[in-house]
Each structure stands twice: as C-alpha cells, then as structure tokens.
Amino acid sequence: MPEAISIADFTLVNHASDEGLIHVINAIVSAATGLSKDIRNAGLEDHILGAQGLDNVQGEAQQKLDLVADNAFIAAFQNCGVVCGIASEENDDFVAFASQESQNGKYIVLFDPLDGSSNIDVNVSIGTIFAVYRRISPTGTMAVLEDMLQPGTQQVAAGYVLYGSSTMLVYSTGNGVNGFTLDTVLNKFFLSHPMMKMPEMGRYYAMNEGNINECEPALKDYIAYCQSHQNDFNSPYSGRYIGSLVADFHRNLIKGGIYIYPAVFAHPMGRLRLLYECNPLAFIAEQAGGLATTGRERILSVQPQQLHQRVPYFIGSKSMVQKAMSFLK
Ligand code: AHG
Ligand code: MN
Ligand code: MN
C-alpha cells in the first residue's frame, strides 16, 4: 500500500511557490488539531462546555467553546508571521496585528471559529470555516477594513474543519478541493479525499423548515417540488438538517444535495454571514463543481459592505441550485 500523504507533504508539493500560504495552512492545522481534542473532551471539561453568559455583536449567545476556538485561531494566525489581520464572527471589529512581523504579512483571514455552536452541548458535528485573502493595503502597515471587505472571487484559499465522527480538513487554493482526515494517534492530517467533486444532482435538501411560512412563497413551492413525485427522481427527496452549516454542506458535497437559508421574517437578509460562512463554502462548492447563490446572484460576486453582513444562501449541487433559483424568478 502506498504511504499516506500527510498535510505537511501535500502543502510542500502543492504550494511550493507560495511559502506564505503554507504558513497560513500550518496555523489552521495546528489550531484545529488542538481544538479537536478540546471538542472531543467537551463533556468532561467544565471550562469549555456551556454558555459563556455573553452575546456577540450579532446578539447570539456565545458558548465557552466559541471563545476557546476564537482565541486558538487568533493566536495561531498572530504567531504564524504571514497574517496581518483577521476578522471573526466572535469579534465586533476586525483585528489588525501590531507586531512588525505581522505588519509585513501579506494575508488576511476571515473565519467562523465554531460553526453550529448550538450543537456543542448535544454532541453533534460542528466546524471551523475560513477564507484567506491577500491584503490590499501595503505590507509594512496595519491591516485596514478594506482588506477585509473583498468579494469572494478574491479568495486565495478557503475551507473548513469539520469536527464530526472524524475530524476533517477540507480546503482549496483554486485548483480543486482536497480533504484530509485527522489521525488521532499520530495527531496529523492525512489526505483521505483527493480532488472532491460535488455530484451534479442529489436527493437531499437541507433547510430549517420551521421557517417555511416565514419566507417568500416561491420557496415554499420549491420545497413542495422537492417533496413531490414530480421532481427529477419522481419521488420525494430526503430532508436532512443538522443545524451546523458546515456539516450540512459537507454531506451535500459528498452525497449531492442543496442547503438553503433564505431571507426569513426574523432575518430579512438571511441568517448566514457572507464573509466567513457563505464565501468560503461557496469557493469550495464552485471548486468542486457545485454552485452558491443568494437565490438571484452568485455569492462570490457580492461586494461586501460590512464585516458581519448576512445574505440569503442557496448552495450545493449545481442543477439543484439552478432549479431552486428557477422558482424564485
Ligand atoms: P454559528 O453557530 O456560527 O452562529 O452558526 C449557526 C448557523 C449555521 O451553522 C446553521 O446552519 C444555522 O445557523 C442554523 O440556524 P437555525 O437554527 O435558524 O436553523
Ligand atoms: Mn456559523
Ligand atoms: Mn460560529
């Protein structure tokens, strides 16, 4: 049997011409490896289980593990020497790193430290989502807001870590999507899913159907189509909704399916955040042959106006997203 390819060997071969990017990926790998261990032990450790007692800028209750994850990734990026600033779901404003080494860094990273945090206490899959950009501001200065507000088309790398039945890192630098699984004995990620492709069509739909009467009526018609015998498979699709975007997306990436978080009454712009949830997964989806839109336009082309901006989100198998969009016209 050929020897398994470690993430370190993979990055050395595939990003040989961009040493800086290797440092960013190493930072993600190192923070995620530690966080994975914390998550596996969450039920046994009082200081990481449960609510923190504070809300974030978006009015959502922060879990202790949200902050453990946020701090771990910020520290990893701050120390990796090539990242000049970050923005994350858990921080009201972006963070520009002050050290001279960081100011010389050419990358910024936008991330959701823990996605699906309402699933932490109930032992259900959660994840970390990240997007890497080149800064616009000159190196040798502090990062500025403009560095953070770039359209998703400018991502140089994006991906996620899924803390599921195994821990996986899935990422792309624009040359396809590769998946790595954490070997918990060696504490290293190995290539397990080379060149992932999202099936063109699938039989799974994921939406919080509790919201079905809270969204535009045309979407109700699309969900009825999914549940009918008049769809492409002449039988109802299966509904699957984990409530962790990253886990719902990963299932659809492998099996084929669509994930929808539309504009709803409580969230007129949708619930999910463009910069650190929607864009990175849209980049992965497109790289794997799938599609991601607001229902009306390509996610990666949306010009961000604010750090925590939300957008309606339709992502998954290409022909399913196209079909859903055809109902909204
Ligand atoms: P986060 O835990 O980072 O705040 O994200 C939660 C998101 C996403 O993961 C999930 O798909 C969605 O919120 C679930 O929302 P509903 O509970 O409204 O379905
Ligand atoms: Mn999230
Ligand atoms: Mn989160």
Side-chain angles (χ1 to χ4, degrees), residues 56 60 66 89-90 111-117 127 273 276-277:
N56 65 17
E60 295 164 344
D66 281 325
E89 179 189 342
E90 305 305 339
F111 61 99
D112 178 351
L114 258 199
D115 174 69
S117 53
R273 280 61 54 111
Y276 43 79
E277 292 178 316

Side-chain angles (χ1 to χ4, degrees), residues 11-308:
T11 55
L12 281 178
V13 170
N14 286 277
H15 314 306
S17 60
D18 196 342
E19 201 191 323
L21 194 57
I22 297 180
H23 288 308
V24 179
I25 294 166
N26 283 346
I28 292 164
V29 164
S30 128
T33 307
L35 185 60
S36 180
K37 196 160 164 271
D38 286 338
I39 289 169
R40 302 292 169 210
N41 291 333
L44 302 171
E45 313 246 356
D46 271 356
H47 70 287
I48 52 174
L49 198 68
Q52 160 79 12
L54 294 171
D55 286 355
N56 65 17
V57 66
Q58 297 154 73
E60 295 164 344
Q62 285 176 318
Q63 303 295 305
K64 290 178 193 163
L65 208 47
D66 281 325
L67 298 182
V68 169
D70 197 39
N71 292 334
F73 279 94
I74 291 177
F77 293 131
Q78 192 156 19
N79 294 329
C80 79
V82 297
V83 173
C84 62
I86 61 98
S88 102
E89 179 189 342
E90 305 305 339
N91 292 278
D92 303 6
D93 207 351
F94 69 92
V95 180
F97 298 142
S99 77
Q100 197 54 54
E101 186 187 37
S102 294
Q103 288 193 41
N104 289 336
K106 58 182 180 187
Y107 295 102
I108 63 122
V109 186
L110 311 178
F111 61 99
D112 178 351
L114 258 199
D115 174 69
S117 53
S118 69
N119 279 327
I120 295 169
D121 290 358
V122 289
N123 206 349
V124 173
S125 300
I126 51 183
T128 299
I129 311 176
F130 59 89
V132 184
Y133 294 81
R134 270 181 224 286
R135 70 188 302 174
I136 295 171
S137 57
T139 49
T141 63
M142 299 274 276
V144 295
L145 181 60
E146 196 190 3
D147 294 321
M148 314 288 154
L149 299 183
Q150 301 185 53
T153 48
Q154 298 305 108
Q155 289 171 104
V156 292
Y160 58 87
V161 181
L162 176 62
Y163 313 99
S165 46
S166 60
T167 295
M168 276 191 77
L169 165 66
V170 174
Y171 84 98
S172 173
T173 53
N175 293 303
V177 178
N178 287 285
F180 302 80
T181 300
L182 180 64
D183 179 322
T184 53
V185 176
L186 299 175
N187 231 15
K188 281 184 183 162
F189 284 90
F190 290 93
L191 182 62
S192 52
H193 296 61
M195 290 310 278
M196 299 173 83
K197 290 285 169 223
M198 189 170 241
E200 166 83 18
M201 180 67 206
R203 299 187 71 148
Y204 293 101
Y205 74 97
M207 180 187 153
N208 181 344
E209 284 189 76
N211 287 329
I212 197 73
N213 296 318
E214 306 286 313
C215 55
E216 60 183 303
L219 194 58
K220 201 170 179 176
D221 295 340
Y222 172 68
I223 297 298
Y225 165 86
C226 293
Q227 296 167 340
S228 76
H229 288 257
Q230 277 71 54
N231 59 36
D232 319 57
F233 289 104
N234 299 316
S235 69
Y237 301 164
S238 290
R240 293 278 188 283
Y241 190 72
I242 296 167
S244 297
L245 165 67
V246 68
D248 282 305
F249 174 79
H250 186 72
R251 183 196 54 246
N252 290 339
L253 173 61
I254 290 177
K255 295 190 178 240
I258 185 170
Y259 175 97
I260 301 173
Y261 210 115
V264 293
F265 188 71
H267 298 290
M269 294 308 294
R271 167 162 183 169
L272 299 174
R273 280 61 54 111
L274 174 63
L275 294 191
Y276 43 79
E277 292 178 316
C278 301
N279 269 335
L281 297 187
F283 188 77
I284 296 291
E286 287 198 6
Q287 283 293 318
L291 202 59
T293 77
T294 62
R296 288 169 170 96
E297 67 171 308
R298 184 185 179 208
I299 286 288
L300 295 182
S301 299
V302 175
Q303 174 60 54
Q305 308 291 339
Q306 291 171 6
L307 278 185
H308 301 289

